[in-house]
Amino acid sequence: MTFSPAPPAALDALLQGLGLSLSLIVAIGAQNAFVLRQGLRREYVAPVVSLCVLADVGLMGLGVAGMAEAVGRGSWLGRALALVGALFLAGYGSRALWRSLRPEALLASQAPRARGLRATLAQATAFTLLNPHVYLDTVLLVGNVGARQPGPLRLVFLAGAGTGSLLWFGLLGFGARWLAPWFARARAWQVLDLLTGTTMWFLALRLLPQAWA
């Protein structure tokens, strides 16, 4: 007999994954500037967006699977990982709230140019995988929260996290011409950072009780 998660539980896991993914990915950085620039120039948008999304989903999947295995080794380890994850989320949330006090703008001109599909994908790969924060975000943070879900809901959580990545990079790449003026305003990023910090603190507070369970 297979277990079918209750719709409210599945929806909660999906929204947790979506919210955490968007909270971590929505930040000014070289990768976002590069995707925005490709969208503005309409150069290899689909391959670049696909690469960024697939890399995110792959790393998050590895994180969820690895953390789930670690949690299963002992209750003390699961509680320790829950505490670490909550502290990291609270720290990231505080950093986002601090950024909101000193907002900056995302400019496509900040990203270097690439010629040809191969060079473009090489740059996108470098921006994605050579950034040490991507492993902290996807493998540790997303993996930690995802591993806390009941077994059948881990894939639902991962689907939500992957959807967040798809929505963001798709928005940057395919909606660049309409969104660039908005992203160039510091006030817009101030609002996003406020939402990001609040979401991270909310998830941290939800994760923290599991450290004492």
Side-chain angles (χ1 to χ4, degrees):
M1 181 177 179
T2 59
F3 173 78
S4 178
L11 180 61
D12 181 66
L14 185 74
L15 292 178
Q16 280 194 58
L18 178 64
L20 180 57
S21 176
L22 287 174
S23 297
L24 292 171
I25 204 172
V26 176
I28 295 177
Q31 184 190 42
N32 283 336
F34 184 75
V35 176
L36 181 63
R37 178 192 167 279
Q38 293 302 120
L40 287 172
R41 295 174 60 86
R42 297 183 180 179
E43 292 179 352
Y44 312 117
V45 178
V48 168
V49 169
S50 298
L51 187 148
C52 293
V53 173
L54 289 175
D56 263 7
V57 173
L59 290 172
M60 290 186 291
L62 289 174
V64 171
M67 288 295 177
E69 181 181 356
V71 168
R73 292 175 185 170
S75 58
W76 67 270
L77 182 57
R79 291 196 298 271
L81 288 174
L83 178 60
V84 170
L87 292 176
F88 267 115
L89 284 170
Y92 266 51
S94 298
R95 191 172 68 176
L97 293 175
W98 175 253
R99 281 200 312 266
S100 71
L101 300 177
R102 304 170 61 184
E104 300 177 7
L106 174 62
L107 302 175
S109 59
Q110 295 171 344
R113 297 188 175 187
R115 295 180 180 273
L117 177 59
R118 182 175 298 180
T120 300
L121 292 180
Q123 281 196 355
T125 301
F127 287 135
T128 301
L129 299 181
L130 296 183
N131 177 11
H133 288 289
V134 72
Y135 301 100
L136 181 63
D137 293 347
T138 57
V139 178
L140 180 60
L141 291 181
V142 176
N144 201 335
V145 177
R148 310 304 301 177
Q149 304 290 333
L153 295 180
R154 288 172 188 156
L155 286 179
V156 178
F157 174 89
L158 186 59
T163 300
S165 180
L166 177 62
L167 287 174
W168 177 250
F169 286 121
L171 192 66
L172 275 182
F174 296 105
R177 289 187 176 272
W178 295 275
L179 295 173
W182 189 78
F183 283 134
R185 295 186 305 181
R187 177 68 67 179
W189 288 95
Q190 185 175 38
V191 173
L192 282 177
D193 279 330
L194 284 172
L195 292 174
T196 295
T198 303
T199 301
M200 287 187 173
W201 266 97
F202 173 76
L203 293 172
L205 291 175
R206 291 198 59 174
L207 188 61
L208 188 59
Q210 300 182 35
W212 316 116

